[in-house]
Amino acid sequence: MKTLPEEFYPLMEQLQAVDFVLVELTLYLDTHPDDLEAINQFNHYAKERKKLKKAVESIYGPLQQYGNSYSAYPWNWNDSPWPWQI
């Protein structure tokens, strides 16, 4: 098992917290697509996640998770086509 330095864990904890916020905002926005403040929060945390992801990946290697895209207004994440429909 690869041993990671102690500095890795606070960065991953921050990234996991932001991922949690993004998942919760996604669920909320699926039922409240016109909530501009929530969309702004989603976009803010998506940007924050991108910075954190870049910091982690530059030191420890690639990651893959949520928050890689911004949303338009109204919330457009659930618009077709879905990936399996293409």
Side-chain angles (χ1 to χ4, degrees), residues 18-29 42 65-66:
V18 169
D19 282 346
F20 179 81
V21 169
L22 287 167
V23 169
E24 291 298 310
L25 283 168
T26 296
L27 294 172
Y28 173 80
L29 284 164
F42 178 88
Q65 271 301 337
Y66 308 100

Side-chain angles (χ1 to χ4, degrees), residues 1 12 21 23 25-28 30 33 36-37 39 43 45 64 68 70 74:
M1 184 168 129
M12 284 305 295
V21 169
V23 169
L25 283 168
T26 296
L27 294 172
Y28 173 80
D30 283 347
L36 181 57
E37 180 59 32
I39 292 170
N43 289 338
Y45 284 103
Q64 182 182 13
N68 292 319
Y70 295 103

Side-chain angles (χ1 to χ4, degrees), residues 28-86:
Y28 173 80
L29 284 164
D30 283 347
T31 58
H32 300 80
D34 295 322
D35 188 333
L36 181 57
E37 180 59 32
I39 292 170
N40 288 336
Q41 288 177 7
F42 178 88
N43 289 338
H44 166 79
Y45 284 103
K47 190 176 194 179
E48 183 66 23
R49 187 192 192 286
K50 187 175 182 177
K51 289 191 307 190
L52 285 167
K53 179 179 178 247
K54 184 176 181 180
V56 171
E57 287 182 333
S58 70
I59 301 167
Y60 304 106
L63 299 169
Q64 182 182 13
Q65 271 301 337
Y66 308 100
N68 292 319
S69 300
Y70 295 103
S71 177
Y73 179 79
W75 180 247
N76 62 350
W77 179 84
N78 55 355
D79 290 347
S80 314
W82 290 83
W84 58 86
Q85 293 173 320
I86 298 175

Side-chain angles (χ1 to χ4, degrees), residues 3-22:
T3 305
L4 295 166
E6 288 298 316
E7 297 83 21
F8 172 79
Y9 299 100
L11 276 174
M12 284 305 295
E13 192 172 300
Q14 288 177 329
L15 191 57
Q16 289 171 337
V18 169
D19 282 346
F20 179 81
V21 169
L22 287 167

